[in-house]
Amino acid sequence: MKLKLTPTQNLCVGFLESGFKLVQMGEQYYFVKGERRQKVLPKTLDALVNRGALSYTDQGDYILSAEFVAHRKRMREASEAVPVRH
């Protein structure tokens, strides 16, 4: 898994982490939560799959991969453990 994400890829992960659902309408994909809708390019989704951040469910939906979720959890724990100097 390649852990380095572009800002756009990071934004897409943030949408999924904050409860947005990824839906396909025709040929286009959108992040949807309530009335809010944000367009996402298929090439961005493909890049996230290639980097190991997204995987497919049996129904063909995109979800955050278990490996990526575990990586994010480790990174958060590591950043919380480092004391901040002022």
Side-chain angles (χ1 to χ4, degrees):
M1 174 171 66
K2 297 177 185 175
L3 304 178
K4 193 84 168 162
L5 299 178
T6 67
T8 300
Q9 292 167 350
N10 222 359
L11 183 65
C12 290
V13 167
F15 276 124
L16 291 171
E17 288 177 326
S18 64
F20 280 76
K21 302 294 180 206
L22 185 60
V23 296
Q24 183 176 6
M25 297 178 185
E27 295 292 317
Q28 186 57 55
Y29 288 92
Y30 295 91
F31 290 109
V32 177
K33 185 176 183 181
E35 296 294 317
R36 298 180 63 200
R37 185 167 73 176
Q38 176 64 46
K39 183 178 177 179
V40 61
L41 297 174
K43 70 178 186 177
T44 302
L45 297 175
D46 290 340
L48 286 167
V49 169
N50 290 337
R51 291 175 183 267
L54 290 182
S55 60
Y56 295 107
T57 65
D58 292 336
Q59 294 79 27
D61 298 324
Y62 289 99
I63 60 168
L64 291 173
S65 69
E67 183 180 28
F68 187 76
V69 171
H71 166 71
R72 291 286 262 221
K73 184 178 178 183
R74 285 191 306 272
M75 296 303 289
R76 282 189 197 106
E77 290 170 353
S79 69
E80 290 171 0
V82 176
V84 177
R85 291 186 178 184
H86 294 277

